[in-house]
Amino acid sequence: MAGNTGNTGNIELLSSVLAQAKAEDRAALVGYLPAGFPTVEGGIRAMTEMLDGGCDVVEVGLPHSDPVLDGPVIQTADDIALRGGVKIVDVIRTVREVHAATGAPVLCMTYWNPVDRYGVERFAADLAAAGGAGCILPDLPVEESEGWRKAAEQHGLATVFVVAPSSRDERLAKITEAGSGFVYAASLMGVTGTRESVGREAEDLVARTRATAGARNGLPVCVGLGVSNPEQAREVARFADGVIVGSAFVKCLLAADDDLDAGLAAVRGLAGQLGEGVRRGGAVRD
């Protein structure tokens, strides 16, 4: 894969990787871990293993003290990272090193407050210079996003918005019109975490999102919240352009406790299993 060589971000790399997955009649596999977990170095190694093991794209979480979308597993990882003293500069470094090691698209997932405090233009410039592909901003209302979207576009970054089963069709249309890279479809109401079943709400949400003008113009729809095993990945891959997995990767590292090598092996193994899941059976798409 071509990497970033200049000061512009990698939105085009993200789009090409998602398009390549579609051309292979499968969903893309998107992995998530917070930066600084279990340590900054350990997180960089874990995300590299995820990409080498089977993920197409990685999201680097910016740890937050009040992560409203995240369930207890990711909150635990965020707490570990924050106690370790992780800073925004470490998040940017994680993006840079993971992208440099793999050539893969690397996004930052963050709540809006840290970006606002850091400076919108500065954050976009630094993320792009690190080779970042874009930002997922779960709590930034589309109506208040123009400043960020302008900075992101200027620096070649995707702006990924989150939609939920409660989102009305009119709102979905607004979001797909404003967003870029892909749309993050939260598969169920509530917070992140592994689930026994991802449920029909996700399929309905993807269908409604796909019916909007923005999605019809080619904006992929990726599903997250609740996917933790190959069977669920296969189920979601039938109807989504991408499958997003976070808590299950965090659990691999938490279960390994202080044995980082065992945690890295578990992360890589899970990425391989999930990668098989999104490839098996072919995806059913328009």
mmCIF file of all heavy atoms in Angstrom, residues 16 35 212 216 248 253 267 281:
data_model
loop_
_atom_site.group_PDB
_atom_site.id
_atom_site.type_symbol
_atom_site.label_atom_id
_atom_site.label_comp_id
_atom_site.label_asym_id
_atom_site.label_seq_id
_atom_site.Cartn_x
_atom_site.Cartn_y
_atom_site.Cartn_z
ATOM 1 N N SER A 16 -9.412 3.944 -0.932
ATOM 2 C CA SER A 16 -8.966 2.875 -1.829
ATOM 3 C C SER A 16 -8.973 1.516 -1.129
ATOM 4 O O SER A 16 -9.303 0.498 -1.740
ATOM 5 C CB SER A 16 -7.577 3.189 -2.405
ATOM 6 O OG SER A 16 -6.578 3.067 -1.425
ATOM 7 N N ALA A 35 -4.928 4.688 22.302
ATOM 8 C CA ALA A 35 -3.496 4.952 22.402
ATOM 9 C C ALA A 35 -3.070 4.891 23.868
ATOM 10 O O ALA A 35 -3.840 5.217 24.771
ATOM 11 C CB ALA A 35 -3.171 6.333 21.823
ATOM 12 N N THR A 212 -29.703 7.171 1.558
ATOM 13 C CA THR A 212 -29.476 8.620 1.472
ATOM 14 C C THR A 212 -28.592 8.942 0.276
ATOM 15 O O THR A 212 -27.846 8.096 -0.214
ATOM 16 C CB THR A 212 -28.796 9.151 2.744
ATOM 17 O OG1 THR A 212 -27.491 8.567 2.838
ATOM 18 C CG2 THR A 212 -29.601 8.815 3.995
ATOM 19 N N ARG A 216 -25.501 6.857 -1.422
ATOM 20 C CA ARG A 216 -25.671 6.406 -2.810
ATOM 21 C C ARG A 216 -24.523 6.902 -3.689
ATOM 22 O O ARG A 216 -24.183 6.282 -4.686
ATOM 23 C CB ARG A 216 -27.019 6.891 -3.373
ATOM 24 C CG ARG A 216 -28.212 6.111 -2.855
ATOM 25 C CD ARG A 216 -29.409 6.233 -3.775
ATOM 26 N NE ARG A 216 -29.790 7.620 -4.004
ATOM 27 C CZ ARG A 216 -30.646 8.303 -3.244
ATOM 28 N NH1 ARG A 216 -31.195 7.727 -2.194
ATOM 29 N NH2 ARG A 216 -30.952 9.554 -3.532
ATOM 30 N N ALA A 248 -13.291 -6.380 21.897
ATOM 31 C CA ALA A 248 -12.719 -7.732 21.862
ATOM 32 C C ALA A 248 -11.194 -7.681 21.802
ATOM 33 O O ALA A 248 -10.510 -8.529 22.401
ATOM 34 C CB ALA A 248 -13.279 -8.509 20.675
ATOM 35 N N LEU A 253 -5.805 -7.962 25.458
ATOM 36 C CA LEU A 253 -4.674 -7.376 26.182
ATOM 37 C C LEU A 253 -4.928 -7.368 27.687
ATOM 38 O O LEU A 253 -4.010 -7.611 28.476
ATOM 39 C CB LEU A 253 -4.398 -5.965 25.668
ATOM 40 C CG LEU A 253 -3.855 -5.911 24.228
ATOM 41 C CD1 LEU A 253 -3.904 -4.487 23.687
ATOM 42 C CD2 LEU A 253 -2.428 -6.443 24.165
ATOM 43 N N VAL A 267 -4.067 -10.763 20.145
ATOM 44 C CA VAL A 267 -4.601 -9.713 19.273
ATOM 45 C C VAL A 267 -4.432 -10.112 17.807
ATOM 46 O O VAL A 267 -5.363 -9.993 16.998
ATOM 47 C CB VAL A 267 -3.884 -8.370 19.577
ATOM 48 C CG1 VAL A 267 -4.026 -7.392 18.432
ATOM 49 C CG2 VAL A 267 -4.446 -7.758 20.857
ATOM 50 N N GLY A 281 -18.186 -16.421 2.731
ATOM 51 C CA GLY A 281 -19.591 -16.396 2.362
ATOM 52 C C GLY A 281 -19.966 -15.254 1.444
ATOM 53 O O GLY A 281 -21.053 -15.246 0.895
#
